[in-house]
Amino acid sequence: MKLYHCYDARSLRPLWALEEMGLAYEAILLPFPPRVRAKDYLAENPLGTIPLLVDGAARMTESSGICFYLTQKYGPTPLALTPDETDYAAFVNWLFFSDATLTFPQTLVLRYRFFETPERRNEQVASDYETWFFARLRAVEAALADGREWLCAGRFTIADICIGYALHLADSGARIGHGLSANVRAYLERCRARPAFQRAREVGAPVGQ
């Protein structure tokens, strides 16, 4: 398998899943954003987005979907739930929630607060979507309010990889980690403490990181 990866981008999700599962892979490192800084990559992925997983004939570009694919093709693994488990619906919902609801607003914060040229930055847009993110984060806070260590079935799963990355992005990328509650912060640190997360984050890390 080949995984095209930019440091701390959404490709960290499948990279973390690969490390948790102990699967063999080749990481192909690209500068961010690759559609601007590595135009040859457009021949592999016309969208120019990260990640791209190539596994034989399979080519996938959605980070949470790749995590699910890996557990289904290379399982069974405790990282995934089966339909007969009580938390299965919540498990699937968290996978979609992670990008559509938690990561999406951060892309607007990042773009309009940091990535655009100074004259195109828009603090009102960034602030509005920061507020959106924290409003949606209430679902994670509620799930952890009863003392749960992980989101589903009393064990670490790819739901935690997908949600954990969204929180990591908020803290390390979008720089809005100051708004995380104590419970959510503790959950994020549990995710970051996993050896597989630490190995994944070392891949392509800048010198001195």
Side-chain angles (χ1 to χ4, degrees), residues 13-198:
R13 282 185 179 126
L15 190 60
W16 184 1
L18 286 163
E19 287 289 344
E20 290 280 358
M21 294 181 71
L23 298 174
Y25 65 90
E26 176 187 357
I28 300 175
L29 305 177
L30 295 171
F32 186 86
R35 62 182 172 275
V36 174
R37 298 184 178 177
K39 290 188 179 295
D40 289 350
Y41 176 61
L42 295 172
E44 296 292 337
N45 175 12
L47 295 175
T49 55
I50 286 293
L52 169 66
L53 178 80
V54 179
D55 183 20
R59 302 176 73 85
M60 300 183 67
T61 60
E62 294 299 320
S63 61
S64 297
I66 294 169
C67 292
F68 185 72
Y69 167 83
L70 293 172
T71 64
Q72 299 306 295
K73 182 164 184 180
Y74 295 103
T77 169
L79 290 173
L81 270 66
T82 56
D84 59 314
E85 291 184 84
T86 301
D87 280 352
Y88 181 73
F91 167 75
V92 175
N93 197 67
W94 285 122
L95 298 182
F96 286 87
F97 184 91
S98 66
D99 243 0
T101 303
L102 283 190
T103 305
F104 164 71
Q106 294 187 68
T107 64
L108 278 298
V109 175
L110 287 163
R111 177 175 179 176
Y112 287 105
R113 190 170 283 164
F114 303 114
F115 292 165
E116 286 285 3
T117 56
E119 66 273 13
R120 285 182 53 84
R121 292 177 187 172
N122 189 320
E123 182 54 32
Q124 183 64 61
V125 171
S127 179
D128 287 349
Y129 279 94
E130 179 179 340
T131 299
W132 178 344
F133 169 77
F134 285 118
R136 282 17 178 217
L137 192 60
R138 286 197 291 264
V140 181
E141 293 169 349
L144 299 171
D146 61 358
R148 281 191 178 196
E149 184 178 17
W150 306 113
L151 293 173
C152 302
R155 66 180 188 267
F156 181 85
T157 70
I158 57 168
D160 300 296
I161 288 177
C162 294
I163 296 296
Y165 170 75
L167 301 177
H168 172 73
L169 179 64
D171 194 43
S172 297
R175 304 177 206 171
I176 52 177
H178 58 274
L180 302 182
S181 70
N183 273 350
V184 172
R185 167 66 62 180
Y187 168 73
L188 171 59
E189 297 308 328
R190 287 195 295 275
C191 290
R192 284 171 162 170
R194 294 186 68 84
F197 173 85
Q198 295 171 14

